[in-house]
Amino acid sequence: MKKTLLATAVAGALGASAAAQAATVYNQDGTQLDLYGNIQLAYKSVDNIDGNSEDELFDNGSTIGFSGQHIINPGLTGYFKAELEHDADESKIDGGLDTGDQAYLGLKGDFGDARVGSWDPLIDDWIQDPISNNEYFDVSDSSSDLGNLYGDDYGLDATADREGDKVQYVSPSLAGLQFAVGAQYKGDAEDEFDAGNDYENQGSNASFFGGLKYTVGAFSIAAVYDDLDNYTLESTTGGDDIEAKAYGLNAQYTMDALRISAKAENTDVDYAGENGDIKRYALGARYGYGFGDVYGSYQYVDADKEVAAVANPAGYTDTTGEHSVADLGGTYDGDDSFNEFVIGATYNLSPAMYTFIEYAQYDRENDFGDGVSVGALYSF
């Protein structure tokens, strides 16, 4: 699941999928502590790079979370959240709570909201999620580009690393207008910036991200920019550096149980002195039909040739540069454009439990990444 609990919360706001349940453990003298979580198990069958279907029963993001807040004074509240993940399908093998998800603390009040810690990127929350925050399959975005450019070959999961070491301020809404600014700070004591790794950025560095959102009635529009300045790395195909930045625009409209959203997003890549773009234009919709949600998204991707063959896309193990970041899973030959589709539905078994089915098609060579997934979630 792309974002544990949030997807069900969004769907619940539309009167559809079961919303997460939270138990208040303590609530006294202005201090509150909540416990919540879910178990998610699913089955998927997905085509690999050779066009062969591979299937498995897997954990889809099972989470246990703690959240709390304390009223410091009538206009100021301190709060925290900590989420831990575990592999429900193989808990005997992989152990218990083995990875973390979001974890942060902050202050909120009439002045706005300030926090520090680890959570999803602003561009994810404001630009990408309204299009395709599904149970398993999503259309691609600048976050997946980041993983392809600076993935495990450099010793980290770049998309996960992007969520940590952040500070952020979000203003209150003033006549419908809201802004957010923040930075990701990587000090020179961080493992990913030590002299033993292939990183161009040695030493301390703070990246910048920011966004604007305007809401009037059921309509909202948001814009986000992220300079990704902590990710200036050497290419797997040579000594030239790879630099990237991401920005996007999203507009959405909600009417009763229907939400419609449109997105324009760009990953601007600079490699070997050449500049190229991975542009995306997408439409997404979600409708609560009373017993669950039906939803779908379409995205057109247009990638320039300058961003080709600079790193390994997901699913590849070679470093020859034969394959392309641009098409995310096929041999690159000139400028590339392709279509992506995801459709799905959920069905509520109870206020705390629902099932889902999803299908994805990505228009890649050998149908790489196409597949179907079914699963269930129980939240508490």
Side-chain angles (χ1 to χ4, degrees):
M1 188 174 184
K2 183 179 180 183
K3 189 176 295 182
T4 315
L5 299 179
L6 179 61
T8 53
V10 170
L14 294 175
S17 295
Q21 310 295 310
T24 299
V25 178
Y26 179 86
N27 189 358
Q28 187 174 346
D29 299 327
T31 297
Q32 180 175 326
L33 176 64
D34 292 333
L35 171 67
Y36 62 91
N38 58 62
I39 297 292
Q40 302 182 52
L41 290 170
Y43 168 85
K44 64 180 178 181
S45 178
V46 181
D47 292 339
N48 62 22
I49 187 59
D50 297 317
N52 299 319
S53 178
E54 296 179 332
D55 69 339
E56 67 171 323
L57 181 68
F58 68 103
D59 180 274
N60 196 33
S62 300
T63 302
I64 292 179
F66 304 87
S67 65
Q69 64 177 16
H70 174 70
I71 300 175
I72 300 172
N73 61 51
L76 185 64
T77 299
Y79 67 91
F80 85 94
K81 177 177 283 189
E83 294 183 349
L84 301 171
E85 294 185 342
H86 56 99
D87 295 319
D89 63 320
E90 296 179 340
S91 60
K92 285 283 188 178
I93 299 173
D94 294 330
L97 301 174
D98 53 2
T99 58
D101 196 357
Q102 301 185 81
Y104 53 83
L105 60 84
L107 294 169
K108 60 184 178 181
D110 296 337
F111 72 95
D113 187 321
R115 67 171 63 167
V116 59
S118 175
W119 62 89
D120 297 305
L122 184 67
I123 197 169
D124 191 355
D125 288 340
W126 286 13
I127 307 300
Q128 300 163 5
D129 280 351
I131 297 293
S132 182
N133 186 21
N134 302 330
E135 304 302 322
Y136 179 70
F137 290 107
D138 280 330
V139 295
S140 63
D141 51 44
S142 61
S143 296
S144 56
D145 292 338
L146 187 66
N148 292 330
L149 289 169
Y150 314 132
D152 292 336
D153 290 336
Y154 292 99
L156 83 159
D157 181 345
T159 52
D161 182 76
R162 187 180 179 187
E163 298 179 7
D165 299 309
K166 293 192 300 187
V167 293
Q168 175 181 283
Y169 168 74
V170 179
S171 75
S173 179
L174 302 173
L177 184 64
Q178 188 176 36
F179 71 89
V181 292
Q184 182 188 54
Y185 181 78
K186 292 293 186 180
D188 52 17
E190 296 275 358
D191 290 342
E192 59 263 40
F193 289 89
D194 65 29
N197 289 327
D198 296 325
Y199 286 83
E200 183 68 18
N201 280 345
Q202 303 293 331
S204 303
N205 189 70
S207 68
F208 168 82
F209 60 88
L212 287 171
K213 180 186 288 188
Y214 179 70
T215 303
V216 53
F219 174 80
S220 68
I221 186 168
V224 173
Y225 172 82
D226 193 331
D227 67 12
L228 302 176
D229 196 41
N230 284 321
Y231 302 94
T232 304
L233 310 179
E234 294 178 1
S235 168
T236 58
T237 61
D240 296 306
D241 297 339
I242 307 169
E243 298 182 358
K245 52 182 174 285
Y247 45 90
L249 183 70
N250 181 281
Q252 63 176 313
Y253 180 77
T254 302
M255 180 176 61
D256 297 326
L258 175 66
R259 183 185 68 196
I260 300 173
S261 181
K263 177 190 78 170
E265 185 180 12
N266 186 40
T267 306
D268 190 331
V269 181
D270 193 336
Y271 169 66
E274 297 289 342
N275 183 266
D277 299 301
I278 305 176
K279 299 175 183 176
R280 292 178 169 87
Y281 308 95
L283 291 172
R286 179 178 287 262
Y287 177 71
Y289 62 89
F291 297 98
D293 290 354
V294 290
Y295 51 89
S297 52
Y298 162 74
Q299 181 164 258
Y300 174 74
V301 184
D302 184 13
D304 295 334
K305 64 182 180 181
E306 288 84 357
V307 301
V310 296
N312 294 333
Y316 289 106
T317 58
D318 66 57
T319 56
T320 62
E322 174 186 354
H323 300 295
S324 167
V325 169
D327 62 4
L328 303 175
T331 302
Y332 184 85
D333 184 15
D335 290 355
D336 203 2
S337 61
F338 49 96
N339 303 291
E340 299 176 338
F341 300 89
V342 177
I343 57 173
T346 65
Y347 180 77
N348 296 337
L349 300 174
S350 75
M353 188 174 186
Y354 69 87
T355 61
F356 73 87
I357 182 170
E358 289 181 350
Y359 171 76
Q361 181 176 317
Y362 294 106
D363 193 17
R364 304 171 187 167
E365 183 177 331
N366 295 328
D367 297 328
F368 176 52
D370 292 3
V372 62
S373 179
V374 296
L377 178 147
Y378 183 93
S379 61
F380 60 89

